[in-house]
């Protein structure tokens, strides 16, 4: 037994026949409708993605604003609880700079700092000595 696949008879063997033209038109219309459907789907996905990105952007902006508000509140609270916090932080930074300059072999340390900064450094050094003396007394 041989199973043969039989093709339906062709109405004409000529490539440019009327039947061939009908077939070509059917294929073209299917391609056009498929292309239009595909374009519609792509456009819908693009629209959905834009909406999702817009929502994410809004969420990120909201979270960023919340973080900024928390930071401002924390800074305000720090200023209220310790009004000298900024001054102390600046003093610590100046001491670190002075220490680094000493370690690197700088000779004229006073020329590195303004007179106001030199006053802050002296004050910071006094505070450091006071802390050290308090610790010694506790022992």
């Amino acid at each position: 037994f041989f199973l043969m696949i039989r093709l339906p008879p062709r109405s004409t063997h000529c490539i440019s026949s009327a039947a061939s033209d009908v077939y070509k038109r059917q294929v073209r219309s299917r391609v056009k409708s498929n292309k239009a459907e595909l374009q519609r789907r792509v456009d819908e996905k693009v629209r959905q993605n834009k909406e999702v990105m817009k929502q994410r952007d809004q969420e990120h902006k909201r979270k960023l604003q919340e973080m900024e508000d928390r930071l401002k509140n924390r800074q305000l609270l720090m200023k209220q609880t310790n009004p000298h916090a900024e001054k102390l932080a600046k003093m610590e930074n100046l001491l670190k700079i002075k220490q680094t300059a000493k370690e690197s072999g700088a000779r004229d340390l006073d020329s590195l700092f303004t007179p106001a900064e030199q006053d802050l450094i002296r004050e910071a050094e006094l505070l450091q000595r006071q802390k050290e003396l308090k610790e010694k007394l506790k022992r």
Side-chain angles (χ1 to χ4, degrees), residues 8-34:
R10 292 185 60 171
S11 59
T12 178
H13 294 286
C14 182
I15 294 175
S16 63
S17 68
S20 176
D21 290 345
V22 168
Y23 174 74
K24 287 177 187 175
R25 273 181 284 181
Q26 287 173 345
V27 169
R28 284 185 195 134
S29 69
R30 271 194 222 129
V31 167
K32 284 181 184 178
S33 66
N34 288 344

Side-chain angles (χ1 to χ4, degrees), residues 67-109:
M67 290 171 65
E68 288 174 352
D69 291 345
R70 274 190 258 146
L71 179 62
K72 286 178 186 175
N73 289 339
R74 194 173 288 157
Q75 288 172 342
L76 182 63
L77 183 63
M78 283 179 63
K79 284 182 181 179
Q80 290 171 350
T81 56
N82 189 354
H84 304 292
E86 285 183 44
K87 184 178 178 181
L88 290 172
K90 188 170 185 178
M91 291 164 86
E92 288 176 11
N93 287 337
L94 288 171
L95 282 175
K96 286 178 186 175
I97 293 169
K98 184 177 179 182
Q99 185 63 35
T100 305
K102 273 185 184 178
E103 290 171 359
S104 65
R107 293 192 177 139
D108 189 16
L109 295 175

